[in-house]
């Protein structure tokens, strides 16, 4: 399988920055939604955050189109970040 | 362009391996030595009678007595009471505050002989010890600690991804496990790579994911902070619940602390001293002074969080404290404990060492296979691409050169003058200077010769250590075997065995190179006037 240098670098950047931001916003969102005590929710989210992040990185290097990566990560960050903001405002 | 999961994961696995395998190999080699860090510490201070024993009471009383004599102005003492895998010494740590005349604050790490109650500083040679070697696997060396921590975090993440992608790309994981192709086409290295990876797979998964758990607070503080609405006070409250700290304010009123013997008896009324892993004495000499006893248990070892708090001046029991906990935190604690293996006895420790060694082999064989596969594709008479040549040189210097350098770290401990300034730091310098030499050698010698010569050099470095011990110490392999000092005997025998393995491999490389080159010498010379061009003997020999 061959990948151009540009394609590989875009994927690497997406894996290191936007995917990391998405992991954080999703983590915050789930912690806020967690029904039990905050310490417990936080512990669960932190424990499995890296598992999710790893899976996300693998998906980024697997999915065929960079546009898909941009849409998924962009939407993900907006929805989870916005959702967290709204929950917190409540 | 659509590709299958296996194809894309193969691409990812190859590139992660190519870019990060050298640093991962360094982490694995130094981390694997960490499973014997205490033993290496003992081996590197042969002047101390580590194999002799002391009672819990002797440890407790000697450490308290020493601290009361030498560190009454320190804000806190930390005493490590656990007998580290048969070790004799007790560790006392305290900070001396800065003084009004401008003397800066200092950190003091004192090793006390429980039988005499004296520090072994004047007896034992200064050494970087096994701790420095072990810390290199996450702190590296010569570079900023914070930067190395982030760097190692990213590498650990990609290592975890590398392991998972490695599982995905093997459709026939068990068939591959039992396959060995020694036809000289480089596939043999892939088969060895599969063998060592699959046989230590649970360890590789555990070690990489638990490594990430160490990084949680460094890499993901935003999740915690963000879920609390970026409120610093709320974050502090949660932190206090998860990691409760016993804070003691100095009252400024002086008080006499209990003497060591009485304190021992008072504590023993409430808790079994043998179960105490460490003691913290806060604000010693003050009216508010407290003794915090950390209790070790069989599951979490040193990560156990139960504490008993006593008044240091009366010995009166005040309270017990424990962390808030939940299944996720317990999972984290178990993973961290599995990573460090502090709970492991000697047999399990050897198993850890074996798994770590298999991890090193996994990196090394993967790196070698990458080069072999591409070298075979080079047609006779065609020059090997420079980039491939550079990768192979780095492979040589990292795979073999690092092992020689670690052996030189041990040799430096025996050879450097005992009164040398910064002796411990120089042991590390010797290690890295040797490694630098290996890099230079690998880049300037033809690759097949560099492999052979560095393997021979590694054997020589390993063999030097027991020989130097025989010449310079009374604790050498023969006397250790005769006196039943198994720690010293084991390390010496281990280095002799490593030397034997390296010499055997070097001899095999040399013989095969001669066998392959002799009949085709004329043809080979006609085809390749330069030594670096095509048909390297090692391509054939090492692939067989």
């Amino acid at each position: 399988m061959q990948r151009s240098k540009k394609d590989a670098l875009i994927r690497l950047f997406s894996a290191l920055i936007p995917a990391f931001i998405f992991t954080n916003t999703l983590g915050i969102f789930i912690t806020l939604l967690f029904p039990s005590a905050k310490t417990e929710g936080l512990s669960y989210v932190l424990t499995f955050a890296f598992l999710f992040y790893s899976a996300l990185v693998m998906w980024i290097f697997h999915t065929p189109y960079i546009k898909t990566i941009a849409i998924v990560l962009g939407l993900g960050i907006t929805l989870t970040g916005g959702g967290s903001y709204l929950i917190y405002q409540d | 362009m659509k590709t299958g999961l296996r194809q894309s994961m193969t691409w990812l696995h190859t590139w992660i391996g190519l870019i990060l395998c050298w640093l991962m190999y360094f982490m694995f080699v130094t981390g694997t030595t960490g499973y014997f860090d205490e033993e290496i510490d003992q081996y590197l201070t042969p002047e101390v009678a580590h194999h002799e024993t002391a009672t819990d009471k002797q440890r407790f009383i000697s450490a308290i007595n020493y601290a009361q004599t030498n560190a009454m102005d320190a804000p806190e003492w930390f005493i490590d009471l656990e007998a580290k895998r048969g070790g004799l010494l007790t560790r006392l740590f305290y900070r001396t505050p800065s003084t009004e005349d401008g003397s800066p604050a200092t950190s003091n790490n004192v090793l006390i002989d429980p039988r005499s109650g004296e520090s072994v500083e004047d007896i034992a040679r200064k050494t970087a010890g096994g701790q420095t070697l072990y810390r290199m696997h996450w702190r590296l060396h010569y570079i900023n600690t914070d930067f190395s921590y982030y760097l190692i975090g990213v590498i650990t993440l990609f290592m975890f991804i590398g392991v998972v992608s490695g599982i995905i790309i093997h459709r026939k994981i068990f068939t591959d496990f039992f396959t060995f192709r020694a036809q000289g086409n480089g596939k043999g290295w892939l088969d060895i790579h599969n063998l060592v990876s699959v046989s230590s797979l649970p360890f590789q998964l555990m070690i990489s994911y638990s490594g990430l758990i160490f990084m949680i607070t460094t890499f993901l503080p935003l999740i915690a902070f963000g879920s609390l609405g970026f409120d610093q006070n709320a974050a502090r409250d949660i932190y206090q619940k998860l990691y409760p700290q016993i804070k003691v304010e100095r009252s400024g009123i002086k008080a006499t602390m209990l003497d060591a013997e009485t304190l021992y008896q008072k504590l023993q009324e409430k808790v079994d001293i043998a179960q105490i892993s460490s003691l913290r004495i806060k604000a010693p000499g003050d009216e508010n002074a407290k003794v915090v006893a950390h209790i070790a248990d069989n599951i979490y070892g040193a990560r156990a969080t139960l504490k008993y708090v006593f008044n240091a001046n009366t010995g009166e029991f005040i309270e017990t404290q424990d962390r808030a906990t939940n299944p996720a935190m317990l999972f984290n604690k178990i993973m961290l404990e599995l990573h460090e293996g502090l709970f492991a006895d000697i047999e399990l420790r050897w198993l850890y060492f074996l798994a770590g060694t298999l991890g090193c082999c996994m990196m090394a064989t993967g790196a070698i296979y990458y080069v072999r596969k591409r070298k075979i594709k080079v047609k006779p008479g065609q020059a090997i691409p420079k980039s491939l040549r550079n990768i192979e040189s780095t492979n040589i210097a990292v795979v073999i050169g690092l092992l020689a350098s670690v052996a030189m770290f041990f040799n430096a401990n025996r050879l450097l003058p005992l009164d040398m300034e910064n002796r411990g730091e120089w042991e590390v310098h010797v290690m890295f200077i040797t490694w630098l030499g290996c890099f230079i050698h690998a880049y300037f010698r033809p690759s097949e010769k560099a492999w052979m010569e560095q393997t021979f050099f590694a054997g020589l470095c390993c063999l030097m250590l027991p020989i130097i011990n025989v010449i310079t110490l009374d604790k050498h392999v023969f006397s250790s075997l005769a006196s039943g000092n198994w720690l010293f005997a084991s390390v010496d025998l281990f280095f002799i065995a490593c030397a034997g393995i390296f010499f055997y491999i070097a001899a095999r490389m040399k013989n095969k190179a001669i066998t392959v080159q002799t009949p085709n010498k004329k043809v080979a010379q006609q085809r390749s006037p330069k030594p670096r061009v095509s048909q390297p003997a090692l391509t054939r020999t090492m692939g067989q």
Side-chain angles (χ1 to χ4, degrees):
Chain A
M1 182 190 165
Q2 290 292 320
R3 272 203 173 117
S4 71
K5 206 181 268 183
K6 191 180 158 194
D7 179 275
L9 283 175
I10 291 172
R11 285 171 197 271
L12 183 65
F13 173 78
S14 308
L16 289 179
I17 310 291
F20 184 70
I21 295 172
F22 181 38
T23 307
N24 277 278
T25 52
L26 183 69
I28 294 170
F29 187 62
I30 294 174
T31 310
L32 291 174
L33 286 180
F34 211 80
S36 59
K38 197 153 272 182
T39 46
E40 195 168 347
L42 199 54
S43 308
Y44 277 105
V45 167
L46 289 175
T47 302
F48 297 108
F50 275 119
L51 205 58
F52 172 77
Y53 183 44
S54 308
L56 194 58
V57 171
M58 288 168 76
W59 173 79
I60 286 170
F61 281 97
H62 168 64
T63 202
Y65 305 109
I66 287 175
K67 207 191 268 179
T68 319
I69 300 171
I71 292 169
V72 170
L73 292 182
L75 265 178
I77 292 168
T78 313
L79 289 177
T80 52
S84 305
Y85 180 76
L86 290 176
I87 294 172
Y88 194 74
Q89 290 302 307
D90 280 349
Chain B
M1 184 180 68
K2 281 202 172 183
T3 50
L5 183 66
R6 280 184 61 236
Q7 276 174 301
S8 56
M9 288 302 109
T10 304
W11 184 91
L12 187 61
H13 187 82
T14 307
W15 280 95
I16 287 176
L18 178 65
I19 294 167
L20 302 176
C21 72
W22 299 310
L23 251 173
M24 287 195 281
Y25 182 80
F26 178 83
M27 284 164 68
F28 259 76
V29 169
T30 49
T32 301
T33 63
Y35 290 118
F36 287 115
D37 58 343
E38 294 289 338
E39 286 78 2
I40 293 172
D41 275 343
Q42 293 170 27
Y43 183 82
L44 295 181
T45 48
E47 295 81 8
V48 180
H50 292 289
H51 59 289
E52 293 177 13
T53 53
T55 61
D56 294 324
K57 188 175 180 181
Q58 277 177 312
R59 286 175 193 285
F60 184 98
I61 289 176
S62 61
I64 297 284
N65 275 339
Y66 186 93
Q68 286 183 333
T69 314
N70 298 288
M72 277 312 282
D73 55 345
E76 184 179 322
W77 309 331
F78 174 78
I79 300 168
D80 189 357
L81 274 180
E82 275 188 308
K84 292 287 170 78
R85 310 203 283 272
L88 174 73
L89 307 178
T90 307
R91 192 179 295 274
L92 165 70
F93 181 82
Y94 63 94
R95 285 183 212 280
T96 313
S98 55
T99 55
E100 284 172 4
D101 63 354
S103 306
T106 53
S107 297
N108 302 277
N109 202 351
V110 188
L111 291 171
I112 300 162
D113 184 338
R115 299 164 309 168
S116 64
E118 296 295 321
S119 158
V120 295
E121 189 131 322
D122 299 330
I123 315 164
R125 63 184 65 196
K126 303 273 182 302
T127 176
Q131 303 303 320
T132 305
L133 204 56
Y134 143 75
R135 283 190 193 119
M136 279 180 202
H137 91 276
W138 53 270
R139 207 189 261 183
L140 305 178
H141 208 75
Y142 298 126
I143 59 173
N144 180 280
T145 308
D146 290 336
F147 174 74
S148 59
Y149 202 61
Y150 282 107
L151 179 67
I152 293 298
V154 174
I155 291 172
T156 310
L157 175 80
F158 278 99
M159 188 197 151
F160 180 68
I161 294 171
V163 175
V164 176
S165 59
I167 298 168
I168 294 170
I169 63 182
H170 286 290
R171 196 167 34 189
K172 295 179 281 181
I173 200 159
F174 288 105
T175 316
D176 287 351
F177 183 79
F178 292 105
T179 304
F180 185 69
R181 290 159 288 181
Q183 293 90 355
N185 57 3
K187 296 272 184 191
W189 285 106
L190 178 64
D191 296 333
I192 299 173
H193 180 68
N194 291 339
L195 178 73
V196 292
S197 310
V198 175
S199 57
S200 59
L201 189 60
F203 176 80
Q204 310 306 344
L205 282 170
M206 177 279 289
I207 210 78
S208 49
Y209 200 71
S210 55
L212 287 173
I213 289 177
F214 273 103
M215 311 279 174
I216 281 178
T217 46
T218 312
F219 275 83
L220 302 168
L222 268 180
I223 295 181
F225 206 38
S227 62
L228 298 167
F230 297 99
D231 179 354
Q232 281 194 345
N233 291 329
R236 214 169 286 137
D237 285 348
I238 290 252
Y239 192 82
Q240 181 62 21
K241 269 187 200 164
L242 295 176
Y243 307 101
Q245 303 285 318
I246 297 165
K247 286 186 181 148
V248 178
E249 295 288 330
R250 274 189 177 269
S251 67
I253 302 166
K254 287 199 172 182
T256 311
M257 192 177 154
L258 283 179
D259 64 278
E261 180 80 41
T262 318
L263 190 62
Y264 177 84
Q265 284 164 4
K266 289 277 185 188
L267 261 65
Q268 207 179 24
E269 286 170 13
K270 193 73 191 168
V271 58
D272 179 8
I273 299 289
Q275 280 194 311
I276 298 178
S277 63
S278 61
L279 286 173
R280 274 183 198 278
I281 291 91
K282 295 180 175 260
D286 189 87
E287 194 184 41
N288 292 343
K290 287 191 174 62
V291 178
V292 183
H294 293 248
I295 308 299
D297 66 27
N298 290 334
I299 301 172
Y300 303 117
R303 289 192 186 278
T305 50
L306 180 63
K307 296 169 194 165
Y308 282 72
V309 186
F310 297 87
N311 184 319
N313 303 322
T314 62
E316 180 197 352
F317 169 69
I318 300 171
E319 59 174 339
T320 56
Q321 259 203 10
D322 207 350
R323 278 185 199 173
T325 194
N326 57 56
M329 286 193 72
L330 290 179
F331 172 79
N332 284 0
K333 233 167 25 168
I334 289 173
M335 288 299 277
L336 298 183
E337 194 64 17
L338 278 173
H339 186 103
E340 291 182 327
L342 294 174
F343 63 91
D345 56 12
I346 190 71
E347 290 84 8
L348 195 54
R349 207 158 276 280
W350 273 108
L351 198 59
Y352 262 112
F353 188 82
L354 178 69
T357 309
L358 288 175
C360 299
C361 292
M362 179 177 80
M363 313 290 172
T365 50
I368 293 169
Y369 173 65
Y370 179 88
V371 175
R372 288 277 165 266
K373 190 179 166 187
R374 279 148 190 86
K375 260 180 123 176
I376 285 164
K377 287 177 187 164
V378 177
K379 290 177 185 148
Q382 195 183 344
I384 295 166
K386 204 178 170 189
S387 57
L388 196 62
R389 161 75 191 145
N390 287 340
I391 291 171
E392 184 165 33
S393 300
T394 313
N395 277 351
I396 299 165
V398 173
V399 172
I400 299 292
L402 177 63
L403 301 179
S405 310
V406 172
M408 279 309 290
F409 171 82
F410 284 80
N411 285 322
N413 174 269
R414 298 299 195 244
L415 289 174
L416 292 175
L418 293 177
D419 56 352
M420 188 179 188
E421 194 91 347
N422 299 325
R423 193 175 186 278
E425 198 52 29
W426 267 102
E427 289 174 1
V428 181
H429 294 333
V430 168
M431 175 179 154
F432 282 102
I433 290 168
T434 310
W435 204 16
L436 180 67
C438 290
F439 271 98
I440 294 169
H441 174 264
Y443 279 93
F444 284 97
R445 293 287 288 163
S447 56
E448 57 270 35
K449 284 190 176 161
W451 274 114
M452 188 177 65
E453 287 163 0
Q454 289 210 16
T455 310
F456 183 77
F457 175 64
L460 213 57
C461 293
C462 289
L463 192 62
M464 262 170 76
L465 186 67
I467 293 174
I468 295 168
N469 283 346
V470 170
I471 297 167
T472 62
L473 293 175
D474 54 357
K475 276 183 188 171
H476 48 76
V477 63
F478 305 114
S479 65
S480 303
L481 282 171
S483 65
N485 187 347
W486 292 111
L487 192 147
F488 274 72
S490 308
V491 179
D492 279 346
L493 289 173
F494 175 78
F495 274 96
I496 291 170
C498 286
I501 293 168
F502 284 131
F503 286 143
Y504 173 74
I505 295 171
R508 246 183 97 84
M509 284 177 185
K510 193 176 180 187
N511 289 342
K512 288 276 175 128
I514 291 167
T515 318
V516 174
Q517 273 178 352
T518 310
N520 299 321
K521 206 174 177 181
K522 278 186 181 174
V523 180
Q525 277 173 349
Q526 282 167 0
R527 282 179 176 175
S528 55
K530 288 178 190 172
R532 285 184 197 176
V533 177
S534 180
Q535 298 285 354
L538 206 73
T539 307
R540 300 180 195 175
T541 57
M542 294 191 74
Q544 281 167 11

